[in-house]
């Protein structure tokens, strides 16, 4: 694999206020770009971050062949830059690609691309625990054609940017009983742009009612808990962590998987199963619902403070009384920072650029 590198001549890094990082507005100096043509990926390059030219008939703009990933690099306490479970992100990208009839991006090339890119822009990785360099790989169809069929050409791009927390405050949720996020047989499990686009109108309605996000229910009976558009959802009922199983309509979150493995390792009881919203209401009324939180790459672990379902408005226990979400967040952040031993082999040091053959 060969990556041609054109370095930016004018770094924007000195202008970044690392103590004040909103999510998703600051972008590092470089980006990786690759092209798929004649059945193979090639033309690998790293160039200064900037605008890309596109043809108005480019298929990715029209029929939704557009997928993405969200992953993070952080700095350990000793200054080593590390990725968190990069292989799993590469694999999930290719699962999404398969569902959207797009070509897989070779896992080794994915790895070399992110190592080279992040090594080059490692000065952009924030130092504070809880902040990170967010990495956004994405792929889209580039044929200049507006008939409906899979494209024969694609672009794969990775850019990065330092971020603070996605949800700086605890969030409120409202269940949705008209709109759905994903149905069985659909593409809810893929990290496809359309899953997010379709959530915007119902979310806007929820926002106007005073809620931050929607708690999506299943598409058939509006009975089972699914996820919250940008996160998987977890509940603590009595002393058990309960989360919906991933049955094809829910994104297989990497933070979700990490938390379940931490629970397994620490002997915290957990259940992955169908979760009825009525069960959550009952547990709340009985005083057994101790915590509710969303988990995701961008959000890490974000507390839910209120849930409205139909006429029932549940004010959940005060954040100070909760212990599990805080412990899980601290475990994930601690494994990333090196404060807690990485028993799982999740943390992968960013290779030194001199050692990467590009
Ligand atoms: C992530 O957690 O990386 C996500 O995919 C959420 C993103 C849409 C902001």
């Amino acid at each position: 694999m060969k990556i041609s590198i054109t370095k930016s001549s004018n770094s924007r890094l000195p202008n970044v206020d690392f103590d004040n990082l909103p999510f998703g507005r600051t972008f590092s100096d470089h980006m990786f770009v690759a092209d798929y043509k004649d059945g193979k990926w090639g033309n690998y390059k790293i160039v200064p971050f900037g605008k890309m030219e596109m043809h108005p008939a480019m298929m990715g703009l029209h029929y939704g062949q557009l997928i993405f990933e969200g992953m993070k690099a952080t700095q350990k306490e000793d200054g080593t830059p590390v990725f968190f479970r990069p292989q799993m992100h590469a694999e999930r990208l290719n699962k999404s690609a398969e569902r959207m009839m797009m070509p897989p991006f070779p896992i080794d090339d994915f790895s070399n691309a992110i190592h080279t890119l992040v090594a080059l822009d490692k000065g952009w990785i924030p130092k504070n625990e809880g902040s990170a360099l967010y990495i956004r790989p994405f792929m889209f169809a580039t044929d200049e054609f507006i008939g409906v069929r899979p494209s024969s050409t694609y672009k794969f791009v990775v850019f990065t940017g330092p971020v603070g927390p996605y949800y700086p405050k605890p969030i409120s949720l409202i269940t949705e009983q008209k709109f759905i996020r994903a149905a069985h047989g659909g593409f809810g499990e893929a990290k496809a742009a359309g899953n997010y686009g379709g959530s915007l109108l119902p979310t806007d309605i929820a926002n106007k009612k005073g809620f931050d996000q929607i708690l999506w229910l299943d598409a058939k009976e509006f009975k089972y808990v699914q996820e919250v558009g940008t996160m998987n959802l977890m509940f603590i009922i009595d002393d058990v962590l309960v989360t919906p199983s991933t049955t094809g309509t829910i994104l297989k979150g990497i933070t979700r998987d990490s938390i379940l493995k931490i629970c397994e390792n620490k002997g915290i009881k957990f259940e992955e199963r169908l979760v009825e919203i009525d069960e959550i209401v009952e547990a709340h009324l009985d005083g057994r619902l101790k915590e509710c939180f969303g988990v995701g790459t961008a959000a890490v672990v974000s507390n839910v403070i209120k849930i409205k379902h139909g006429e029932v408005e549940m004010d959940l226990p005060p954040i100070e009384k909760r212990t599990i979400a805080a412990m899980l967040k601290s475990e994930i952040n601690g494994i990333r920072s090196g404060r807690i031993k990485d028993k799982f082999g999740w943390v992968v040091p960013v290779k030194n650029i001199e050692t990467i053959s590009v």
Side-chain angles (χ1 to χ4, degrees), residues 23 68-71 92 134 136 166 191 196 229-230 251 296-299:
F23 182 90
F68 71 97
E69 267 305 310
M71 50 187 286
R92 190 173 65 178
Y134 188 78
R136 175 48 66 89
Y166 192 81
K191 218 159 167 54
Y196 297 79
T230 54
L251 189 82
T297 297

Side-chain angles (χ1 to χ4, degrees), residues 195-237:
N195 281 324
Y196 297 79
S199 74
L200 299 178
L201 170 66
T203 304
D204 184 58
I205 297 171
N207 292 158
K208 287 184 176 136
K209 290 181 188 158
F211 293 85
D212 295 308
Q213 288 282 322
I214 289 176
L215 193 172
W216 296 104
L217 299 176
D218 74 283
K220 199 167 164 200
E221 299 174 80
F222 291 89
K223 186 170 165 189
Y224 299 104
V225 173
Q226 300 272 284
E227 64 171 87
V228 176
T230 54
M231 304 186 285
N232 297 113
L233 204 54
M234 300 187 162
F235 304 91
I236 306 293
I237 303 178

Side-chain angles (χ1 to χ4, degrees), residues 73-74 80-87 111 115 342 345-351:
T74 46
T80 317
V82 293
F83 295 110
F84 189 72
R85 309 192 75 180
Q87 169 98 7
S111 170
H115 278 275
D342 174 21
W346 289 339
V347 164
V348 177
V350 176
K351 286 183 206 152

Side-chain angles (χ1 to χ4, degrees), residues 96-110:
S96 302
E98 188 183 341
R99 178 61 183 85
M100 304 311 279
M101 236 0 246
M102 300 166 83
F105 192 76
I107 302 270
D108 288 348
D109 295 0
F110 182 100

Side-chain angles (χ1 to χ4, degrees), residues 141-284:
T142 53
D143 276 8
E144 295 161 5
F145 176 62
I146 53 165
V148 180
R149 58 140 174 84
S151 181
S152 61
T153 61
Y154 295 86
K155 244 186 211 318
F156 174 64
V157 182
V158 188
F159 64 77
T160 71
V163 296
Y166 192 81
Y167 294 111
K169 289 197 304 235
I171 59 166
S172 56
L173 305 179
I174 181 166
T175 58
E176 176 54 64
Q177 302 191 28
K178 173 176 162 203
F179 296 102
I180 60 158
R181 176 184 174 276
H184 280 288
F187 56 95
E189 198 175 82
K191 218 159 167 54
N195 281 324
Y196 297 79
S199 74
L200 299 178
L201 170 66
T203 304
D204 184 58
I205 297 171
N207 292 158
K208 287 184 176 136
K209 290 181 188 158
F211 293 85
D212 295 308
Q213 288 282 322
I214 289 176
L215 193 172
W216 296 104
L217 299 176
D218 74 283
K220 199 167 164 200
E221 299 174 80
F222 291 89
K223 186 170 165 189
Y224 299 104
V225 173
Q226 300 272 284
E227 64 171 87
V228 176
T230 54
M231 304 186 285
N232 297 113
L233 204 54
M234 300 187 162
F235 304 91
I236 306 293
I237 303 178
D238 297 321
D239 60 348
V240 183
L241 185 151
V242 176
T243 195
S245 35
T246 52
T247 51
T249 55
I250 297 179
L251 189 82
K252 286 191 174 156
I254 290 163
T255 310
R256 176 188 181 281
D257 181 79
S258 308
I259 284 184
L260 297 184
K261 294 216 160 68
I262 290 171
C263 287
E264 200 167 37
N265 185 263
K266 286 190 167 298
I268 297 171
K269 283 184 249 164
F270 68 93
E271 294 172 1
E272 278 183 274
R273 58 169 171 82
L274 287 176
V275 181
E276 281 190 36
I277 187 66
D278 286 349
E279 169 190 349
I280 300 302
V281 174
E282 247 168 61
H284 171 69

